[in-house]
Amino acid sequence: SNSVSFGFLNSDQTIFGKYFLTDTRAIRGSARIGFSSMTTTNQVPTITPGFTDRYVEDRRNRTQGNYMVALGLENRRGRGRVQGIYGAEAIIGFAHSSIDYEYGNAFTADNPSVIFTNNFNNGNFGQGSDRIIENRQGNTFLLGIRGFVGVEYFLAPQFSIAGEFGWAPVYQIQGDGIQLRERMVNGQLERREIPVGKTDGFSLDTDNLNGSLAFMFYF
């Protein structure tokens, strides 16, 4: 499974707002609340005796969530329609991801090796006696501080277009995960958990090099 990617909170997946304390200073906040659930199915031949031309269904259920918030202080300088903006904000994030598998052909004492999907991305299947049931990543946490600078141009008194660049040191840690597998051992179905180690890392990078712009409405 693919790890969940955070990114910075200046993309088209972000809810953004600000509240002015004075004419030149504002509190600003951003939030990303993302959740997805996707099911992939695949048809494989049945192992039932006498029904070699029939198929059963394998299923892969993937769920993941990505939640981030940022809170900061924005300052501005300039006159007329053009305003320069700068400031800093704190970022915190949380993400989770898991994949569950269901198979149409069950392991039994009479059928310790069965046909099942071994690649849901391209629909390939094969015969085997050991397969994955669940892949659950450890929860991921992110902490960062982002400095930003940009320009805002007012097309009307309460409507503007703005763009900014940011630079942020970010620390990210992913906890321990597990992989659950099943197999037949001496005529008995055995399920076992395989631990997946945690990861952590630090990054320092700029953002918004793709040139994203924002339209602002003031009330």
Side-chain angles (χ1 to χ4, degrees):
S1 62
N2 297 324
S3 61
V4 178
S5 176
F6 280 109
F8 289 106
L9 279 170
N10 57 2
S11 68
D12 56 0
Q13 301 166 321
T14 301
I15 301 170
F16 176 82
K18 63 177 73 174
Y19 178 79
F20 277 88
L21 302 174
T22 68
D23 290 341
T24 60
R25 177 167 294 181
I27 297 173
R28 53 186 271 168
S30 305
R32 179 184 179 187
I33 304 172
F35 177 82
S36 65
S37 179
M38 180 178 296
T39 299
T40 303
T41 62
N42 190 47
Q43 302 294 315
V44 301
T46 183
I47 60 170
T48 305
F51 295 97
T52 57
D53 60 340
R54 294 193 179 182
Y55 289 79
V56 293
E57 185 176 83
D58 292 345
R59 299 168 61 91
R60 180 184 67 182
N61 306 300
R62 182 196 298 268
T63 60
Q64 61 183 27
N66 194 326
Y67 315 99
M68 293 183 68
V69 294
L71 184 65
L73 187 65
E74 176 185 295
N75 300 290
R76 57 180 55 228
R77 294 175 62 88
R79 296 180 180 178
R81 294 179 180 270
V82 181
Q83 300 282 316
I85 58 175
Y86 63 96
E89 57 189 3
I91 306 169
I92 185 170
F94 170 76
H96 62 87
S97 177
S98 65
I99 306 176
D100 299 311
Y101 299 85
E102 302 174 17
Y103 300 101
N105 290 320
F107 286 141
T108 65
D110 295 329
N111 294 294
S113 178
V114 300
I115 298 172
F116 59 89
T117 304
N118 50 36
N119 190 329
F120 278 89
N121 294 325
N122 58 23
N124 285 348
F125 57 83
Q127 187 165 351
S129 57
D130 190 311
R131 61 192 180 189
I132 188 171
I133 296 296
E134 181 182 1
N135 192 350
R136 186 167 69 245
Q137 293 185 355
N139 293 332
T140 304
F141 297 91
L142 173 146
L143 291 172
I145 299 176
R146 176 178 179 264
F148 59 88
V149 60
V151 175
E152 186 171 358
Y153 179 77
F154 282 84
L155 302 172
Q158 292 178 290
F159 173 62
S160 70
I161 183 172
E164 68 181 42
F165 289 92
W167 181 76
V170 174
Y171 177 71
Q172 183 172 319
I173 182 170
Q174 183 178 44
D176 294 324
I178 65 164
Q179 185 181 101
L180 180 63
R181 302 188 67 88
E182 67 175 6
R183 63 183 178 181
M184 292 298 295
V185 178
N186 298 324
Q188 299 293 322
L189 181 64
E190 176 188 86
R191 291 190 172 180
R192 66 195 190 281
E193 289 187 356
I194 301 174
V196 179
K198 64 182 180 181
T199 61
D200 64 89
F202 173 82
S203 64
L204 182 63
D205 205 353
T206 54
D207 60 48
N208 201 21
L209 297 179
N210 58 358
S212 297
L213 297 176
F215 292 97
M216 303 286 187
F217 298 89
Y218 292 93
F219 303 94

